[in-house]
Amino acid sequence: MAYPKSVRICDVGTRDGFQIEHDFIPTRDKIATIDDIVAAGVRKLEVTSFVSPRAVPQMADAAEVLAGIDKGPGAEFVALVPNLRGAENAAKAGARSILLFVSASETHNATNVNRPIAASLDGFREVMALAARHGMAVHGAISTSFGCPFEGDVPARQVASIARQMREMGIRHVALGDTTGMATPPLVRAAVEAVRAACPDLAIALHFHNTRALGLVNVMAGLELGITEYEGSIGGLGGCPFAPGATGNVCTEDMVNLMHELGIETGIDLEALCSVARKVEAMLGRQLPGQVMKAGPRSRLSGIDCAVRAVG
Ligand code: ZN
């Protein structure tokens, strides 16, 4: 099996993870977390979203976060925008990259943004024009690409059709999102192959949730298909809005650990990233689901004086 030689890891924790936190995270803590993740070597982050502060109060400081982060190390900072107004606010705040999202399921799109998929895609065309005027890069995300909590299976041809429409409006990079953790390796293969057949020159990223403990298994499926970009969240932050208490995004450090053990380069310092995850855990005051942040990489050995007898 030939895996990619290197992959790009995008951390979405400060957006996808933080947005479901009930208590408002101070802006300076959000900025410090982003700066720390970048200092550990991550070169793409979804940092915030320009949504209505009434809908998502946690993201009300999007402009301040974007203004406050250290742009020095040359990472790409992506802001999620739900519509033209969000894109205008992102442009005003100096965003260089924005992310447009639509669901592959009509029912999920209706519950999420209250409009049909076709209307979401029409809205993207207006955003593309605005982004061109402001020189912002536009990425796409297709949520519920591997299953919908209301409709069940989502046909791969539906995902491919949306991807093709995004490509035709000039989007070159699309993430297939497993919003509620319904992906499995066969579904990953079906969706990726359908999207590739429909748009051969589209860059594909994979965004899995670990809701049913298949997160890294699905990452492996993506690696076997030659996909070179994956999204995760620091410490495994996040959750599933339809399954209270369920695990959120694939954990970035756990994914980086897997990549390194497969001999795949990420450019990320795993120990440094684990320190950031522990810092975020302390900041939020509850245990995060990440595993490697607790056990350390397998290269970290224990002293013999730590040995415990008679354990399985
Ligand atoms: Zn997610």
Side-chain angles (χ1 to χ4, degrees), residues 167-187:
R167 182 65 195 91
E168 282 166 3
M169 61 181 91
I171 296 174
R172 295 167 181 281
H173 180 282
V174 167
L176 305 183
D178 185 24
T179 319
T180 59
M182 293 174 75
T184 64
L187 294 172

Side-chain angles (χ1 to χ4, degrees), residues 12 15-16 179 207 209 249:
V12 302
R15 200 282 301 171
D16 203 345
T179 319
H207 175 120
H209 281 224
N249 295 76

